[in-house]
Amino acid sequence: MSKAKETHLWFEKGDDEIQVESYSKKLNEAILELNKNVPGAVYIIDDEERGFLRAAVKLKNITFMILPPQSEETKKAQSENGKRNSKNLKNQKRT
C-alpha cells in the first residue's frame, strides 16, 4: 500500500512566514519559481526526497481563499458553458 501524499501548512500567529511540506507538484513548482524570482521570499528547508518540498514562505507571498459552496444554478451554468467550449480543452481526442 502506498503512503498518502499530503500537504501541510502551518504558522505561528504573529510570525512572518508559513511553513509548507508538500508533495504537490504544482505547489512545489510555484514555490521554487518564487524562490528563483524573489530573493528572500522563500527558504528551502528540505528538497532531498523526490517530489517532496519543505520550505518557509514569507506570509506576504502566499494567500488562502475560502470559497462558499456553489449554487445549483452556478454549477449548471458552468457545465453548459464547458459543453459549449469543449473544443478549447487540452488533450482532447479528435475522431
Side-chain angles (χ1 to χ4, degrees):
M1 182 188 298
S2 66
K3 183 180 174 184
K5 305 276 181 166
E6 299 177 344
T7 296
H8 297 264
L9 306 163
W10 70 96
F11 61 94
E12 292 184 33
K13 187 175 181 179
D15 202 354
D16 70 338
E17 64 185 26
I18 295 177
Q19 298 281 320
V20 179
E21 280 187 356
S22 171
Y23 285 96
S24 168
K25 182 177 180 180
K26 198 173 197 178
L27 177 58
N28 293 353
E29 287 174 351
I31 291 170
L32 292 172
E33 186 71 17
L34 179 65
N35 184 47
K36 184 173 80 173
N37 295 329
V38 184
V42 177
Y43 174 71
I44 304 297
I45 298 168
D46 181 12
D47 64 352
E48 297 297 317
E49 183 182 338
R50 185 174 180 195
F52 174 78
L53 179 66
R54 181 169 181 201
V57 181
K58 292 291 182 183
L59 191 57
K60 66 182 179 183
N61 297 100
I62 196 164
T63 185
F64 298 95
M65 293 183 352
I66 306 299
L67 302 173
Q70 292 182 332
S71 69
E72 289 303 315
E73 291 173 345
T74 302
K75 287 180 187 178
K76 185 177 178 184
Q78 288 179 341
S79 175
E80 289 171 0
N81 187 45
K83 289 174 186 173
R84 277 193 311 274
N85 296 299
S86 64
K87 64 181 173 244
N88 295 334
L89 296 174
K90 293 180 180 180
N91 302 320
Q92 179 175 303
K93 291 185 179 180
R94 305 204 189 270
T95 55

